[in-house]
Amino acid sequence: MIRLTNKHEKHIVLFCFLFLPVLLLCVFTYYPAVKLLELSFTDWDGFSLRYDYIGFSNYIDLFNDKTTLMTFINNIAYLIVYLIQNVISLYLAIILNGGIKQKNFFKSSIFLPYILNGVAVAYMFGFLYDYNIGPINTLLRAVSGGQLAVKWLGNGYFSNISLGLIGLWRNVGFTMVLYLGALQSIPNELYEAAESDGANFYHKIRHIAIPGIRRIIELNLFMVLIGATQAYFEAFVVTGGGPAGRTETFAMSTLNIAFEFNNFGKASAMGVVLVAAAFLILSVQKVLLNKESI
């Protein structure tokens, strides 16, 4: 009978615990990513058992397609709104981290929209944004004599901002909770020492709170980017990408090209471009944040 040393036992335990997660990671993450890259160089229609390699034709077609590129620009509206959401969440977290009364009530109230079904929230905002009978325009007409009614979903690029506000309202509470947890992990002794040295509220936030939660800021910015690039259900439920494709997002366009036009090769190329753009933005974010921390 073979006797195992403690070193061998540790290696066996590590192998047993890591084998299945690594296997699942390779099967459901790395292999699909490699396959996506391969399909982006093909003319696969999603049904045929074979396909032909066509080089960079899908990428050339993608960058020459103004309609598809416009959908990527539409996603920038979501990115802008979600960045504003992060600022609001950080502000709320700082306020609730202080000595405000009934803070648990406010935390629960702000976090509540996050647990609601996203599609239901989109339908709700579709009614709120209605130009004729929506409560928002009804209120604006009442206070302005009918002069301030806004076409929330039919006013050019502003429609994308309106759709992005749906995600802001729904997700601001979740982001706030992340910031609040990070702020509460900072020892009070640091604030007390700074206050004894004459630091005011702004100085404590600027030199203690913000540096202390830098990792959470990076995490939330990463989530902002992912959320902006994956924006889909808001436009799909409320506007269907209209009017005239002005609110169609990159994800909507990708799915339409894949499943309506059966062009999985071009859709795969769009997926690769989206990953590359996200990686580029994350790299810039990392460089900028590291510079600020020096």
Side-chain angles (χ1 to χ4, degrees), residues 24-276:
L24 294 175
L25 182 67
C26 292
V27 172
F28 293 104
T29 301
Y30 295 132
Y31 173 74
V34 173
K35 195 65 178 179
L36 179 73
L37 181 62
E38 178 189 0
L39 291 176
S40 68
F41 296 104
T42 70
D43 61 354
W44 189 45
D45 60 3
F47 298 98
S48 303
L49 297 178
R50 60 178 303 275
Y51 45 77
D52 298 321
Y53 289 92
I54 57 176
F56 290 91
S57 297
N58 288 323
Y59 291 95
I60 295 174
D61 184 32
L62 171 61
F63 285 104
N64 288 329
D65 188 350
K66 294 182 180 180
T67 303
T68 303
L69 291 179
M70 185 61 193
T71 62
F72 193 83
I73 296 176
N74 290 340
N75 282 80
I76 297 178
Y78 292 86
L79 180 60
I80 295 172
V81 173
Y82 291 169
L83 288 173
I84 296 174
Q85 168 202 311
N86 258 266
V87 176
I88 296 174
S89 298
L90 179 58
Y91 172 78
L92 292 173
I94 292 173
I95 296 300
L96 292 176
N97 191 47
I100 186 173
K101 296 181 180 180
Q102 301 296 327
K103 63 172 60 179
N104 290 332
F105 169 77
F106 288 111
K107 284 190 289 186
S108 301
S109 301
I110 297 171
F111 184 77
L112 181 62
Y114 180 74
I115 66 177
L116 299 178
N117 180 271
V119 175
V121 170
Y123 273 114
M124 180 186 70
F125 270 85
F127 172 69
L128 292 174
Y129 285 151
D130 189 278
Y131 180 75
N132 296 313
I133 63 173
I136 299 178
N137 278 339
T138 300
L139 179 62
L140 291 176
R141 290 190 181 99
V143 299
S144 65
Q147 301 298 318
L148 294 180
V150 178
K151 293 183 178 180
W152 299 96
L153 302 175
N155 192 10
Y157 194 76
F158 179 74
S159 303
N160 296 292
I161 300 292
S162 300
L163 293 173
L165 291 174
I166 300 175
L168 185 151
W169 181 82
R170 182 169 180 259
N171 297 315
V172 68
F174 176 75
T175 312
M176 178 202 69
V177 168
L178 294 179
Y179 281 132
L180 186 59
L183 288 171
Q184 290 177 346
S185 67
I186 300 176
N188 289 328
E189 290 77 6
L190 294 177
Y191 295 111
E192 294 172 357
E195 189 172 353
S196 63
D197 290 335
N200 57 27
F201 178 79
Y202 170 77
H203 292 146
K204 288 187 284 186
I205 297 299
R206 173 66 181 84
H207 298 288
I208 298 178
I210 299 299
I213 63 172
R214 189 170 65 89
R215 295 301 180 187
I216 300 299
I217 293 177
E218 291 182 11
L219 172 63
N220 282 331
L221 290 177
F222 172 77
M223 295 173 64
V224 160
L225 175 61
I226 297 301
T229 55
Q230 293 182 347
Y232 174 75
F233 78 88
E234 296 94 341
F236 179 78
V237 172
V238 179
T239 65
R246 292 178 182 174
T247 59
E248 186 177 18
T249 63
F250 198 78
M252 284 185 65
S253 179
T254 302
L255 293 176
N256 289 336
I257 289 174
F259 294 102
E260 290 190 15
F261 300 100
N262 297 329
N263 192 344
F264 278 76
K266 183 179 179 180
S268 299
M270 294 174 68
V272 172
V273 169
L274 190 61
V275 171

